[in-house]
Amino acid sequence: RENFCSSITAEPAMIDVGRSCILVSIGGKNIMLDCGMHMGFNDDRRFPDFSYITQNGRLTEFLDCVIISHFHLDHCGALPYMSEMVGYDGPIYMTHPTKAICPILLEDFRKITVDKKGETNFFTSQMIKDCMKKVVPLNLHQTVQVDEELEIKAYYAGHVLGAAMVQIKVGSESVVYTGDYNMTPDRHLGAAWIDKCRPDLLISESTYATTIRDSKRCRERDFLKKVHETVERGGKVLIPVFALGRAQELCILLETFWERMNLKAPIYFSTGMTEKANHYYKLFITWTNQKIRKTFVQRNMFEFKHIKPFDRSYADNPGPMVVFATPGMLHAGQSLQIFKKWAGNEKNMVIMPGYCVQGTIGHKILNGQRKLELEGRSTVEKFFYLKSLYLEVKLQVEYMSFSAHADAKGIMQLIRMAEPRNMLLVHGEAVKMEFLKGKIEQEFNCYMPANGETTTVTTNPNVPVDISLNLLKREMSLGGTLPDPKKPRTMHGTLIMKENSLRLVSPEQAMKELGLSEHHLRFTCRVQLQDPHSDADTLHRIYMHLKSVLKGYTTQHLPDSMSVMVESIVVKVSSSTEDPNTKVLLLSWSYQDEDLGSFLSTLLKKGLPSVLC
């Protein structure tokens, strides 16, 4: 192909954080990147609008594969809905840790949504199991051949256990999708890494597009100070987290601090989640950072002395305590229940350690809202208990970014690491993305499509061709000095395509290899000339004219055959049957002398000069 068009269709979460779903078309292949749900909606807007792909039901006929970057629900939460309710039977690629953890989080969220809230139009437990049967696990740095033309390769992304960036290649064209990533190593995971793969397009998240974080150590010190001060004054601290990721990071931090300070206030974690997390970190220890891998045999960093399982009755206990509760944005579940109980006491504190999408309770309180409308009440309850419709928020609200997303500095670091030809920003807020886009455009082309918008990126692919040594030697002998490697040079040869490789060889070598005999191709041109002389005199006049004009060429006069030869070009003269003064010149030449033949035909059409020396 002369050029490559990669069409990127932005499902919701391009200019947004939540419900990530991107359709990439590259070299005739269609790949879906992530399939998430939006935590801020409880209606049809929760899932991506798959009508962008097809209006006619199932997606199997339109998608070559689906790739999931990591297990967070805003990246995988709509997967069973897409595969089992909309309809997709093709391969779904994700790493081994993501494959293990994803169904557990999907089932937990299904229980909250269906069993507790009673919502309909949601996937079932069996659908989750059927969906996971279609999953093909990926290993890091392993090239997986999806079909004869499409291949994918996973790179370490940090962020959470099992998170991966993915390179997609079709022929010589490639796209890298980052998913969520972190360029800073932390207490339990390493930093994201990718080689200098120079993709045609790099699709990067931009959650913290305008943020450059302060020192990690300063943030940790500030976090420990706020928790310590709150428990010292008898208050309770709620830390909403997702089950795996920041939870383990902050647990390790508090466990170490409690041990050093000999503190007695209890620390709790959502029941069951500690055990599950511990199990998966043991199982996938190779995905953690170097320090944890080295010390794991002597001491498991995820077995905590001071952190105990939480029972919902503990929320009413008097006295100070620290509770890690899921989910992380206060949009449902145990964290929201505890928040409602503790919100009315100014001695308490809630620390939001990560990003909260619009529409969640977490997003509302971080934006200063101190009266929250409670959901889930019936119309009758709302009519009779108007006072209890709103929750007064009196506790202290703190935002401390322990988010495992790359900041603006980290995003630029990854771009320089991969050296893409084009950039495309997703998974961010429009105003912040626009600012980062301006910075990136100082060095790279950058796109920022809106939700539902298609962006087409055109590139000129390089097609590798092997050149035979004999041909190179021949070209060098013709060219004299060695060619300048920075300047393009035309080479004449025969292009052979064999077993998916291209070779440029001399015509003689090509005929020998392919068992072909040589054919001679000549071009012919007819020119009419007004000249009153005999044919022989006209021929002589043509010979003299060409000899005077083409001094660097071999010109021969052949009167026996009534012709003149210049290199391989033959000029024959004859009189017109209708008018003896009109001479008909027949010119013929081989394809090697095509330029000279064209020049001669143009020259003779102008006629012969009246005086010839």
Side-chain angles (χ1 to χ4, degrees), residues 401-418:
S401 178
F402 286 95
S403 177
H405 292 269
D407 62 3
K409 189 177 175 183
I411 293 168
M412 293 305 296
Q413 188 183 340
L414 184 83
I415 294 170
R416 293 189 181 105
M417 195 181 278

Side-chain angles (χ1 to χ4, degrees), residues 30 205 293 309 312 317 332 337 342 358 405 426 432 475 580:
N30 297 319
E205 67 133 319
R293 290 200 302 271
R312 66 181 61 193
N317 288 354
Q337 291 168 13
W342 294 359
Q358 200 165 352
H405 292 269
V426 298
K432 295 177 181 179
E475 288 291 322

Side-chain angles (χ1 to χ4, degrees), residues 18 29 37 40 72 116 173 291 299 470 477 530 533 582:
K29 304 292 179 181
M37 69 164 71
H72 279 159
K116 292 186 180 177
E173 287 80 49
K291 183 182 176 183
R299 184 197 167 205
N470 289 336
S477 66
Q530 293 298 316
H533 300 88
T582 301

Side-chain angles (χ1 to χ4, degrees), residues 223 237-243 246-247 250 269-270 322-332 334-336 338-339 342 349-356 361-362 365 398 400:
F223 169 76
V237 181
L238 171 63
I239 307 171
V241 289
F242 290 105
R246 294 313 87 202
L250 296 176
F269 203 118
S270 294
V322 180
V323 176
F324 290 94
T326 58
M329 299 185 192
L330 289 177
H331 54 277
Q334 202 165 65
S335 62
L336 183 56
I338 297 168
F339 174 78
W342 294 359
M349 178 181 284
V350 59
I351 298 177
M352 307 300 297
Y355 188 90
C356 294
I361 298 291
I365 62 171
E398 295 286 346
M400 309 193 71

Side-chain angles (χ1 to χ4, degrees), residues 149-206:
E149 297 171 322
L150 172 62
E151 63 180 49
I152 59 176
K153 184 178 182 181
Y155 293 91
Y156 189 79
H159 188 62
V160 292
L161 190 69
M165 300 184 280
V166 184
Q167 183 184 32
I168 303 147
K169 285 187 77 175
V170 179
S172 63
E173 287 80 49
S174 66
V175 171
V176 168
Y177 172 59
T178 66
D180 291 349
Y181 63 99
N182 190 5
M183 296 301 290
T184 309
D186 55 32
R187 290 173 181 268
H188 75 298
L189 295 175
W193 180 87
I194 193 168
D195 56 25
K196 209 175 285 294
C197 52
R198 295 185 177 92
D200 293 298
L201 180 67
L202 174 64
I203 304 172
S204 173
E205 67 133 319
S206 51

